[in-house]
Every structure is written in C-alpha cells, then in structure tokens.
Amino acid sequence: MILKKHYIALFPALVMVGCTSQQAMQKPSKPVRQANVQITQTQTIQVKPTPKPAVKPQPVAKPSYGSFSDWKSDFSMRAMASGYDAQTIRRLLDLAYLNQQVISLDSGQPEFSKMPWEYVDSAVSDGRVSTGKRKFAEQRAFLSQLQSQYGVNAEIIAAIWGMESSYGAVTGNSSIPSSLASLAYDGRRQEFAETQLLSLASLLQRGDVSWSQLDGSWAGGMGQTQFIPDTWLKQGVDGDGDGHRNPWATGDALASTANYLSNSGWVRGLAPFYEVRIPASFDYAVVGSKQSAARWAALGIDTIDDVSLDANIQMELWLPAGKDGPALLLSPNFDVIKVYNNSSSYALGVSLLGKALAGQGGLYKSWPRYERPLSTVQVRNLQQRLTSMGYDTKGADGIVGTNTRRAFQRWQADNGQTPDGFITQRSAASLASW
C-alpha cells in the first residue's frame, strides 16, 4: 500500500433539498494505481441541487385499528386533511388489500444466520455474472456517461442493477399499494409505510408512476433498481430524457442509482474495499475500528494489489469470516452502497459482482467454509449470556449485528481467543448453548 499525503474530502449523505446554486470543488491531482497501473487524475465534483419535492405535512399515525377498513378510512381522512388529492388517495386505497404474507415476511426471522460466503456465492453466481457482462456491454456507453457525470463506478451501478432486479428481469409481482397498506395497518412500521404511500400518491399525481404499473417487492421496492417511493421522489432523475422519472425505465433507474449514491457521499476514484495482508503480530482488538490509511499502514496492514491510497482517508478493517478468511479495508464507498441495503454482506456482494462485471478477479484468500452459523435461538442465548457477563449486546433479538459482534470480540480478548469477532458454532460453543 503506497500512501499519498493528499486529502480526500468525504462528503456526508446529501439530499440537496432547498439548494439554489451549484457548487464546484476541485480536488488535487492524485495518483491512483491498481493492477500496477498508475493514473493521475484531477477530480471536479459538481454538487448539484436535487429538485425539491412538494413538502406536505404528514398525517399523525394512530396506534392501532380494529380492522383494515378502519385504518383505510382513518388514513384517507388524515391524508386529505394534510392536503393530498382526495381522488388519488381514494383510488390508491381502493387498490389495496390486506396481505398477511407481507406482514409475516416483515416480522419473520430466518432459522439460521447466513455465513458471508453464502451471500457472496449468490451475488457472483455464474448466471448473474454472465448475464451481467452482456447487459454491462449493452449499456457501457450510458454507464460510462453516468460515471463521468456522477463519479460512481459504472460497474457498481450495473452490479446494483443486477442485485436488485436481475438487470430489470425481476422487478417484483406484489401489489405495492397492498404491501404498504398492510405494513401500515400492522403497525410495526406504520410511520414508514404511510410515508411511502403518500410519496407513491405524489408520484402518481406527478405522472412518473403509472396506475397500470404498481407491482414491486413485498416491502415496497419499485422498478429496475428497487427504490422505495419516498427515496424515488427525492432522488429519481430523468435519465432517458422523456420528461418523466419512471423507476421501471432502464435509463431512469440507472441514472437515479448513480444520483442516489453520489448524493450519499460517493468518493470518485475509490474502490469500495481493498483486500489486505495482516502481519503475524497484529493486535486484533482494532478490527472493526476506523483508522486513517496511514495508521493501518503503520500497524503493518498492506494491500495485496499495488494500490495508492491517500494517507488521511478513514478506512475500516473488516474480517467478514474472522482471522481465517479474507481481510478487507473498507473505504467510505462501502458504506455508501449500504444505503440500498444496510448489510455488509450485501455491500460485499455488490462490490464483488462489480469487479466480476469489469473483468477483475475476486478475493485472493479462501473462505473458511468448514465453519457453521448459529441458529436464531443460539444467537439469542449468546446475547443474553454476554450481557449477563458484562459484555452488553444492546438487546437479545437473535440477530448478529455490530453490537453483538463487538461484545463477542471483547469476550474473546478476555478468554484466550483471537478477538476477530467471528461468531460460529466453534468460537461461541460455550456461550450459545446457555
């Protein structure tokens, strides 16, 4: 890893609501070297105002209802009182029926947690990669244009397209009005679901979404890159120049994905992750922390490929499968991918699919496929046991999240294990059966 003492400004997630002018910033020239090729580039980032949608007051949600019809009636009155078009709201709710399967999917938990390689295997399956290379070639000129305009890697835009809808082939067959209305009536995510319904009403009034095209995912995702209505209302752009922002149109979907990632803080010229080597004497207690690239280099972390990184850029060391699996330095762009799906496995899948579509190799180090995951019950037992011992997991929900991994990592350090935070049947045997 060759460090360059240039500063990259990291932009926070931007939803440019209310901006009235464009700002241009010149970044200093910096060498970027991958695959032993060093390129010097000067970056100009255009921070563009996002069109400001009409802001209307949200109706105050009620806690519960006796029936689905009661919720419909109450929501309709609250929405119209807040200024939404009565005809649009009534027509939208007339299309909505109670879908118990959506409620079950929203509240359900898998019996076992997945190992990271299971997700990656699906992301870079032979079929997804071969189809993706063909689609990537078909859209290469347009994707290159988007990369130039928004700064987001063309292959990452294409990879999200592939992950979200198999390149537009599978956009969902659930009634979006019914899915959102069912989630709102159920109450667990009432505020979220009602916000999405109101945004969908605005999209229908604006003409971006057609009344005849209201099928999507069970959770309300729409179109070729599966935006939820409120995000599309704020981030959707007219990529094909027809005067509408239609999430089912390829040009609009791809351009809006680039716009969304750009506004969420994408740093031009930076890969989502870099695979690294860890020295034998490494202190694993710092795994999961964010340090400057210079600090990681001082700790003996070195990229496997010959890559130039700015010394000041903040990066996280992640061991998705513990000390025996790949070691990755995550850039800020890895977190940006997670705006689509707040899952590290998802972001890794997108990143590796993008590399495959661009004709690059995958990970160097193999996965420890002999390891086995914990069941949901075992994870809950582990969380309760760790918390009782003073390693607070911030709850016992049966899901291995950041808090649980960090608590387990602290327990490992105190109990003679390498503190890599990787929870498996072997590493957590004494805790999970409690």
Side-chain angles (χ1 to χ4, degrees):
M1 175 165 54
I2 302 171
L3 300 176
K4 302 293 180 182
K5 294 183 179 179
H6 295 142
Y7 179 72
I8 292 184
L10 302 182
F11 292 92
L14 301 175
V15 177
M16 306 297 291
V17 177
C19 293
T20 58
S21 63
Q22 290 192 6
Q23 305 173 47
M25 296 186 66
Q26 289 284 340
K27 287 187 178 180
S29 297
K30 76 181 187 75
V32 177
R33 184 163 62 197
Q34 295 189 17
N36 298 316
V37 177
Q38 183 164 296
I39 303 171
T40 299
Q41 55 185 359
T42 300
Q43 301 176 31
T44 300
I45 289 186
Q46 294 289 337
V47 182
K48 304 175 186 178
T50 299
K52 181 179 178 180
V55 178
K56 297 181 180 179
Q58 301 295 303
V60 177
K62 301 293 184 181
S64 61
Y65 299 90
S67 69
F68 187 55
S69 294
D70 288 344
W71 169 82
K72 275 188 174 185
S73 177
D74 183 65
F75 174 74
S76 177
M77 288 189 295
R78 287 184 286 120
M80 288 184 286
S82 296
Y84 287 85
D85 179 69
Q87 183 178 356
T88 302
I89 293 296
R90 290 195 188 99
R91 186 175 177 185
L92 186 61
L93 292 181
D94 283 345
L95 295 173
Y97 58 86
L98 181 61
N99 189 334
Q100 291 290 351
Q101 184 181 16
V102 166
I103 296 173
S104 298
L105 288 169
D106 185 56
S107 59
Q109 278 189 323
E111 184 179 355
F112 282 86
S113 56
K114 277 190 173 183
M115 287 303 196
W117 52 85
E118 295 179 77
Y119 203 101
V120 168
D121 288 348
S122 174
V124 295
S125 65
D126 291 343
R128 198 189 299 269
V129 171
S130 61
T131 301
K133 285 183 175 180
R134 176 170 53 82
K135 291 290 187 178
F136 189 59
E138 291 174 1
Q139 297 291 334
R140 186 178 299 276
F142 183 56
L143 289 167
S144 296
Q145 175 188 326
L146 294 177
Q147 177 172 315
S148 177
Q149 180 178 356
Y150 294 101
V152 181
N153 304 31
E155 67 273 13
I156 293 297
I157 303 170
I160 288 176
W161 186 29
M163 292 284 282
E164 294 295 331
S165 71
S166 295
Y167 313 100
V170 183
T171 59
N173 57 10
S174 295
S175 162
I176 297 173
S178 298
S179 294
L180 294 173
S182 297
L183 292 173
Y185 168 66
D186 177 56
R188 193 176 77 88
R189 293 200 292 162
Q190 186 177 47
E191 183 178 354
F192 163 82
E194 290 192 350
T195 297
Q196 302 313 313
L197 277 170
L198 294 174
S199 295
L200 182 58
S202 296
L203 291 170
L204 287 161
Q205 280 187 262
R206 198 166 75 178
D208 293 339
V209 173
S210 167
W211 286 100
S212 62
Q213 195 176 33
L214 287 175
D215 285 344
S217 76
W218 68 265
M222 307 182 303
Q224 295 200 27
T225 48
Q226 291 292 286
F227 276 74
I228 57 174
D230 189 57
T231 305
W232 185 266
L233 190 65
K234 296 171 181 175
Q235 301 289 342
V237 296
D238 180 11
D240 56 18
D242 68 352
H244 294 286
R245 287 164 274 182
N246 182 349
W248 283 269
T250 301
D252 293 355
L254 297 180
S256 298
T257 297
N259 181 59
Y260 187 27
L261 296 178
S262 176
N263 285 339
S264 297
W266 190 271
V267 180
R268 188 185 294 262
L270 198 61
F273 74 82
Y274 299 90
E275 192 170 0
V276 297
R277 301 183 187 88
I278 295 181
S281 58
F282 186 68
D283 179 7
Y284 281 80
V286 297
V287 170
S289 67
K290 290 189 177 182
Q291 313 274 354
S292 68
R295 177 60 180 159
W296 288 122
L299 292 173
I301 300 297
D302 192 21
T303 55
I304 292 177
D305 288 329
D306 193 7
V307 176
S308 291
L309 295 174
D310 279 300
N312 295 317
I313 194 140
Q314 294 291 304
M315 308 190 81
E316 176 185 341
L317 180 62
W318 183 41
L319 307 181
K323 61 183 175 57
D324 297 322
L328 310 176
L329 267 187
L330 308 181
S331 83
N333 288 346
F334 191 87
D335 287 334
V336 172
I337 294 173
K338 291 165 69 175
V339 303
Y340 252 92
N341 181 334
N342 191 23
S343 159
S344 293
S345 292
Y346 173 84
L348 180 59
V350 166
S351 302
L352 289 171
L353 178 57
K355 285 169 70 71
L357 298 183
Q360 302 170 9
L363 298 171
Y364 288 93
K365 191 164 185 180
S366 300
W367 297 104
R369 294 177 181 270
Y370 50 83
E371 296 285 10
R372 294 292 178 264
L374 269 61
S375 69
T376 300
V377 172
Q378 288 177 313
V379 172
R380 192 176 293 113
N381 289 341
L382 176 140
Q383 291 168 326
Q384 293 170 347
R385 181 85 184 272
L386 284 172
T387 298
S388 72
M389 297 169 68
Y391 306 97
D392 190 5
T393 62
K394 311 295 184 184
D397 57 3
I399 300 172
V400 177
T402 300
N403 291 327
T404 299
R405 282 191 293 270
R406 288 177 178 169
F408 182 68
Q409 187 179 10
R410 294 193 296 273
W411 176 86
Q412 285 180 305
D414 292 341
N415 288 274
Q417 287 191 20
T418 300
D420 58 5
F422 189 40
I423 298 173
T424 70
Q425 291 287 351
R426 292 201 309 167
S427 66
S430 63
L431 299 171
S433 60
W434 182 57

